[in-house]
Amino acid sequence: MQAANELKVHLGWAVQVYNAAEALPNLLNPFWMLPLLGVLGIRARDIVGFTGLQCLVHTPIVLALLWGLGETLTYVAPVIPH
């Protein structure tokens, strides 16, 4: 939050950018892959190509949307109650 205040970025949007940064790596090794491997009887290397492609396709899209939509919000300085 300190970095968002110093850069004068909307604080709520800074939280959403943080959430997206946490979610994007899950495209490479998603949580849903573990049960799928057991149910289908396949190996991780059989599905990593698909997840890698998803990560390559979605990362620029998500980053562009975060940047573009972040430009629409104005910075509001936090108010500390007395």
Side-chain angles (χ1 to χ4, degrees):
M1 300 283 57
Q2 181 180 354
N5 280 324
E6 290 175 7
L7 295 172
K8 300 207 182 314
V9 178
H10 191 276
L11 298 178
W13 200 249
V15 172
Q16 291 304 320
V17 170
Y18 178 80
N19 287 338
E22 291 248 343
L24 281 174
N26 288 334
L27 291 174
L28 286 177
N29 189 11
F31 182 70
W32 55 262
M33 188 168 88
L34 296 175
L36 188 64
L37 295 176
V39 170
L40 296 178
I42 58 177
R43 293 179 167 171
R45 69 178 178 181
D46 297 332
I47 202 167
V48 167
F50 170 75
T51 60
L53 180 63
Q54 291 295 314
C55 188
L56 285 175
V57 169
H58 287 110
T59 297
I61 294 170
V62 169
L63 293 177
L65 286 171
L66 287 171
W67 175 76
L69 294 173
E71 293 292 319
T72 64
L73 299 172
T74 59
Y75 173 72
V76 179
V79 178
I80 300 173
H82 295 255

